[in-house]
Amino acid sequence: MSLTICLIEGDGVGKEVIPAAASVLGALGLPITFTHAQAGWECFTQQGDALPEATITAMRAADATLFGATQSPMAKVEGYRSPVLAMRKLFNLHANLRPTRSLPIPGGREGIDLLIVRENTEGLYSGRERREDDGQTAITERVITAAATERIGRTAFQLAARRPRQQVTIVHKANVIKEGDGLFREVCLRVAAEFPNVQASEMLVDACAMWLVRDPARFDVIVTENLFGDILSDEAAGLIGGLGVAPSANVGAGKVAYFEPVHGSAPDIAGQGIANPIGAILSAAMLLAHIGATEAAARVERAVQAALREGVLTRDLGGAASTSEMKDAILKQL
Ligand code: GGG
């Protein structure tokens, strides 16, 4: 059986980390065919579209997509919409899975194995924004629906049911945001009742931010809304070496799924060959697991751990290895 993987480098360091991850995938001896597509700010400046139709077609045709990074401008640009938000909406990729597992790096925290299940289609990222009062008041609507919450809640509990600890922490701010987070909490607790073998608890988001620093090992699966999940997962990545090593998956009920390092385009270091490829390589491992190549996924994870244990470290981890030296150290372990 042959596998088709669509590669989208995107902007900035995406152009460095995706080729590194592709060479790791290519070294596994699997019958993989790579296709290539464009998306992102550079693509918008060249083609007038940040997510062209040809890219959407290539993603639909592939078994899965590995995406690098995007660099959206801070100010509104007519006709431009972040391709990551567009892909998540278009393909109904309701779940953003962000695992944080301890890695053998200097200063890295031990005993962490948690998974943040972030709602990926609504919340403050719904794009419902406007200016009023002659532009002096900005209003961003935070949309929480029972349907999307039920979907993400069920995904979190299903994933927790397959993990050794079988625990879910429902994270919200229902004491203050009584409508939006009240609904999120209510629906998640209702879903929890369908999973009697999974231990459910709830926590306010600010307390969760504190406990992640103080005792991250206490968490198994965290389910939360879009922005909270975005922030908490970056915080969690900080415990194990930072954004350079953090992978993620964007999945839904359909065939299309895409996998990306949590980091963005990192314009400050782009083009220098020093970006850490581990976030992209571990995202490739998540992709493999998603399409059923679980042994290959485990091999990639073991190779990353072994390369780090040998002391090969990029600059963000306190070493001096380049992107390609880090990739070569992982390939050697494979
Ligand atoms: N690989 C994930 C990524 O590119 N993150 C940066 C991001 O999502 N930025 C929002 C955007 O630029 O549209």
Side-chain angles (χ1 to χ4, degrees):
M1 183 196 61
S2 117
L3 299 166
T4 302
I5 296 178
C6 176
L7 302 175
I8 305 177
E9 296 176 358
D11 298 317
V13 296
K15 296 182 189 311
E16 297 155 56
V17 298
I18 292 303
S23 45
V24 170
L25 286 170
L28 293 166
L30 297 171
I32 298 176
T33 303
F34 292 112
T35 57
H36 298 265
Q38 269 80 48
W41 174 250
E42 187 182 295
C43 176
F44 177 77
T45 60
Q46 290 167 354
Q47 302 186 32
D49 194 345
L51 186 65
E53 207 48 50
T55 300
I56 294 169
T57 304
M59 290 179 76
R60 286 212 167 100
D63 292 293
T65 294
L66 188 61
F67 180 80
T70 160
Q71 187 184 348
S72 296
M74 295 291 172
K76 189 170 177 182
V77 173
E78 212 43 56
Y80 179 85
R81 177 146 200 246
S82 164
V84 290
L85 299 188
M87 287 189 286
R88 292 166 190 174
K89 259 237 143 67
L90 176 69
F91 298 118
N92 223 346
L93 305 175
H94 71 273
N96 192 317
L97 310 181
R98 297 189 161 192
T100 301
R101 241 175 257 136
S102 295
L103 289 169
I105 54 166
R109 301 273 288 267
E110 288 175 17
I112 305 172
D113 183 5
L114 64 88
L115 173 66
I116 296 182
V117 179
R118 164 187 169 196
E119 203 290 323
N120 215 19
T121 59
E122 52 181 31
L124 276 171
Y125 294 2
S126 302
R128 285 166 59 165
E129 293 198 272
R130 62 185 183 277
R131 289 276 179 111
E132 291 180 357
D133 185 24
D134 282 338
Q136 297 313 295
T137 302
I139 297 176
T140 305
E141 291 178 313
R142 183 168 177 270
V143 181
I144 306 281
T145 65
T149 305
E150 188 172 328
R151 217 169 36 171
I152 197 66
R154 194 158 284 121
T155 299
F157 278 87
Q158 283 165 347
L159 290 168
R162 288 186 233 137
R163 291 166 63 94
R165 286 190 286 168
Q166 302 194 317
Q167 292 168 2
V168 175
T169 310
I170 302 161
V171 171
H172 57 75
K173 188 74 182 174
N175 58 339
V176 175
I177 311 171
K178 293 198 189 309
E179 294 301 341
D181 281 31
L183 181 62
F184 187 87
R185 170 180 182 270
E186 181 188 310
V187 173
C188 283
L189 288 172
R190 203 162 63 218
V191 171
E194 295 170 24
F195 295 84
N197 296 331
V198 177
Q199 190 192 324
S201 59
E202 57 180 308
M203 194 178 273
L204 295 174
V205 65
D206 44 341
C208 182
M210 184 277 292
W211 281 113
L212 269 177
V213 173
R214 198 155 170 203
D215 184 18
R218 69 185 275 160
F219 293 103
D220 183 17
V221 173
I222 290 173
V223 63
T224 192
E225 65 86 53
N226 209 336
L227 180 64
F228 291 168
D230 198 1
I231 295 170
L232 293 176
S233 56
D234 278 23
E235 183 190 353
L239 302 167
I240 55 143
L243 288 182
V245 299
S248 75
N250 296 269
V251 297
K255 180 193 167 206
V256 176
Y258 84 90
F259 299 79
E260 61 181 332
V262 169
H263 66 70
S265 60
D268 52 330
I269 58 161
Q272 298 177 39
I274 58 170
N276 190 339
I278 289 179
I281 290 169
L282 290 177
S283 299
M286 290 183 84
L287 181 157
L288 290 168
H290 179 78
I291 59 179
T294 44
E295 181 44 37
R299 275 182 69 200
V300 172
E301 282 182 28
R302 285 196 298 269
V304 167
Q305 301 239 357
L308 290 171
R309 221 173 276 116
E310 276 210 331
V312 183
L313 300 167
T314 44
R315 288 177 202 211
D316 54 320
L317 302 179
S322 65
T323 307
S324 84
E325 285 165 345
M326 190 75 240
K327 178 251 305 174
D328 287 342
I330 294 166
L331 284 174
K332 190 180 108 191
Q333 297 298 333
L334 277 180

